[in-house]
Amino acid sequence: MTQTKSILKSRASWAVSSIAIAFFGAALPAAAQENMMISEARYCGVGLQGAKDSFQKANPALFSVFNDRAKMTQLSEAILRSTDSSKWKIRLTQDGGASLALAHLFTYGSIDEHIYTDPRDRRTYRAAIFSIGINTVVIDTVNETVRAVVPAIISYSERFNGPLTPAQQSAGFIKLLSDTDDRDSASYKWISNLSEFDFQLDETNLAARPLILSDDALRALQSNAGNDPRKSVGLFIQRLTAQQEALMASAFRKSVIPSSIDENGKDSSQSSSEDGKKIYAAMIPDCFDGGKRLELPKPNFELQISIDTLMLKDFEHRLAQSSGAQAGQVFQVEQGYGGRFNVKIIGPGETVDTLLDEQTFGFSRSVRLDKASNISAYEQYSKLTANFIAEALEAYATQERGWVKQHLSSTITDKKRRDAKKIAKSWKSIIVDRMKVAPLPRKKDEDD
């Protein structure tokens, strides 16, 4: 399988053949503790985000690893040793009386299997991509509130000779987590990047509203998923919302309040009191018995992404000459995946939310493959959406006019609404001035 650039010349890439890590850092504020550095916390090992039963249902392979407490103790100790060697800015202790605690919480675990034929040697291969979402959470154990969150997604891929067994699925997750001494591994890079992060509280915070799919987008996604529970609409929303949170933190370097999206794609958090603050449920066996219910602060700004349409189209490529193929024979197919996405920035209002910005974009990518390859449209739509979110947020953070001009949806016909320079200027006012995102170097646009 050969991955090609997006039809619209997308810059983002999706790593499928080597260890990959996406690290995203953010801190959650306490309203009365502006710019306060967190310097020490009790280490609570590895836990789960959400309820135990729902996590097990949605992530059976990763849960089997978590449920092996002896193995998890080994992993937690390895992470702690790596933390010490990486010289974190926050000191981790075993002091049970500490007022702050730190834990790494699994948010999801996914295994994407692909069967494809390499056109160069005509041989069939099977590859699996293992991914784990992890929130590093600092908890105020006295007030039972979330104080800081650093979301991350780590992944790696491996080739297999046949379908994965349950044992191989668990082993893949263990390998992903346990290579903390290998400088080329995803887990080492995750810990190393955390060491560079200042666990500092801020006066503003962000949140990602759950991803929304239109009826058309739902039909496109469901028509290619069949009855496979691993390809449900709920898991699509859960995982893409988690990626959006992580990418927001990466692009804006700001606070991101974690959501509690369950395997059905619904927000499972509950209001704790009249002030509307939500509850963050977690399982942290090393420090707390049973499940823990922690209070989250209310967000100052929210980002809402909706998918209006999802589409795919095949393009045939005929090769005049090819080893093992007759002249003119169809040798490869290029599958193009595209979508129309709506992005809203929502701010606080006295009685109702305030819409600060709304844009609609078109985005696409393509995969070139042999006709015998088995490529999941569901997974390609997932990658398309993740790549769109990554590029869009980078453009928002840098106010990149060229990206806006290239990706504004053709459904927008009003010339004033298509003024990329005006849109970028508006973003600077909202993102830098109001959201207090530190200005980033703006990429040189073609029209500069």
Side-chain angles (χ1 to χ4, degrees):
M1 179 179 63
T2 302
Q3 297 220 10
T4 65
K5 290 188 294 183
S6 164
I7 299 171
L8 295 180
K9 299 181 181 178
S10 167
R11 300 188 313 278
S13 62
W14 190 273
V16 299
S17 59
S18 61
I19 291 176
I21 179 170
F23 169 81
F24 317 102
L28 291 180
Q33 295 175 320
E34 181 176 332
N35 297 325
M36 176 181 176
M37 184 78 72
I38 298 174
S39 59
E40 182 175 290
R42 176 189 178 189
Y43 181 60
C44 290
V46 179
L48 301 178
Q49 174 180 294
K52 181 177 179 180
D53 291 344
S54 60
F55 190 95
Q56 180 179 10
K57 180 181 177 181
N59 309 276
L62 183 57
F63 181 82
S64 69
V65 175
F66 172 79
N67 212 33
D68 185 340
R69 296 316 303 166
K71 177 59 68 176
M72 289 310 302
T73 297
Q74 293 176 4
L75 289 173
S76 294
E77 291 175 349
I79 291 172
L80 183 58
R81 287 195 302 272
S82 183
T83 299
D84 291 338
S85 64
S86 297
K87 298 180 180 179
W88 272 24
K89 295 181 180 179
I90 181 171
R91 190 172 74 89
L92 300 181
T93 75
Q94 300 293 338
D95 181 6
S99 61
L100 296 178
L102 181 144
H104 305 294
L105 305 183
F106 295 150
T107 58
Y108 74 88
S110 66
I111 304 172
D112 301 331
E113 295 186 57
H114 302 278
I115 302 172
Y116 63 94
T117 301
D118 192 321
R120 295 167 296 185
D121 59 15
R122 306 292 292 170
R123 294 179 62 185
T124 299
Y125 295 93
R126 181 184 294 268
I129 305 172
F130 296 84
S131 299
I132 298 177
I134 306 178
N135 280 355
T136 298
V137 182
V138 176
I139 301 162
D140 182 331
T141 58
V142 176
N143 298 312
E144 297 193 342
T145 57
V146 172
R147 289 281 299 277
V149 174
V150 183
I153 299 170
I154 60 175
S155 61
Y156 91 102
S157 67
E158 189 173 340
R159 283 185 177 181
F160 293 88
N161 295 325
L164 270 67
T165 65
Q168 287 175 318
Q169 292 178 353
S170 298
F173 284 129
I174 291 172
K175 176 177 174 57
L176 176 56
L177 291 164
S178 60
D179 285 347
T180 53
D181 294 327
D182 180 356
R183 290 180 175 270
D184 293 324
S185 73
S187 56
Y188 179 91
K189 293 174 182 177
W190 166 55
I191 296 296
S192 178
N193 283 327
L194 280 171
S195 72
E196 301 171 1
F197 181 74
D198 289 326
F199 287 81
Q200 183 170 327
L201 305 179
D202 196 275
E203 75 278 7
T204 61
N205 54 68
L206 311 178
R209 290 190 176 183
L211 187 71
I212 293 176
L213 279 76
S214 70
D215 290 342
D216 286 344
L218 278 171
R219 281 192 290 270
L221 192 66
Q222 290 171 323
S223 66
N224 290 280
N227 296 319
D228 189 342
R230 298 170 300 175
K231 299 178 180 179
S232 70
V233 172
L235 288 179
F236 183 92
I237 293 173
Q238 181 193 52
R239 291 167 183 173
L240 268 300
T241 301
Q243 291 192 49
Q244 180 186 333
E245 290 173 351
L247 290 164
M248 283 171 62
S250 174
F252 297 147
R253 305 300 298 176
K254 293 288 292 182
S255 313
V256 173
I257 299 175
S259 60
S260 297
I261 308 301
D262 61 22
E263 71 277 9
N264 298 311
K266 305 298 183 182
D267 187 349
S268 61
S269 59
Q270 300 174 357
S271 294
S272 59
S273 59
E274 307 80 34
D275 60 8
K277 290 183 178 179
K278 292 185 175 182
I279 294 297
Y280 185 69
M283 294 284 300
I284 311 174
D286 287 359
C287 288
F288 307 105
D289 294 330
K292 198 69 176 172
R293 293 167 57 81
L294 307 165
E295 189 176 88
L296 292 169
K298 293 182 68 174
N300 299 101
F301 300 94
E302 296 177 279
L303 198 75
Q304 173 72 76
I305 296 179
S306 306
I307 305 179
D308 295 335
T309 59
L310 290 171
M311 301 165 288
L312 67 85
K313 186 175 181 180
D314 288 349
F315 304 90
E316 292 185 343
H317 294 270
R318 297 179 179 273
L319 304 182
Q321 297 291 333
S322 176
S323 175
Q326 297 177 354
Q329 178 183 349
V330 175
F331 184 65
Q332 283 188 321
V333 171
E334 182 176 6
Q335 288 185 342
Y337 296 85
R340 188 169 68 241
F341 300 84
N342 180 270
V343 183
K344 296 178 181 178
I345 300 177
I346 300 163
E350 292 185 4
T351 56
V352 297
D353 294 333
T354 302
L355 180 62
L356 302 178
D357 185 77
E358 180 176 8
Q359 305 295 338
T360 302
F361 301 103
F363 193 80
S364 63
R365 70 188 304 277
S366 66
V367 179
R368 186 175 291 195
L369 61 151
D370 183 85
K371 292 194 73 173
S373 298
N374 181 13
I375 300 298
S376 165
Y378 178 96
E379 299 301 339
Q380 294 304 319
Y381 284 143
S382 297
K383 295 172 184 178
L384 173 80
T385 304
N387 283 338
F388 165 74
I389 295 172
E391 287 199 21
L393 290 174
E394 180 187 354
Y396 275 80
T398 58
Q399 298 90 56
E400 188 180 343
R401 297 200 299 268
W403 191 93
V404 175
K405 183 182 296 185
Q406 183 180 20
H407 293 285
L408 271 177
S409 172
S410 59
T411 60
I412 300 175
T413 57
D414 186 335
K415 288 186 177 181
K416 292 183 179 180
R417 292 186 60 201
R418 295 193 65 85
D419 188 334
K421 186 175 182 179
K422 183 177 180 181
I423 291 171
K425 185 177 181 180
S426 173
W427 284 356
K428 182 178 184 299
S429 174
I430 295 168
I431 294 169
V432 176
D433 300 336
R434 295 192 61 175
M435 294 168 58
K436 305 302 181 184
V437 172
L440 298 175
R442 187 171 64 84
K443 295 186 177 181
K444 184 174 179 62
D445 291 317
E446 294 178 358
D447 55 354
D448 281 349

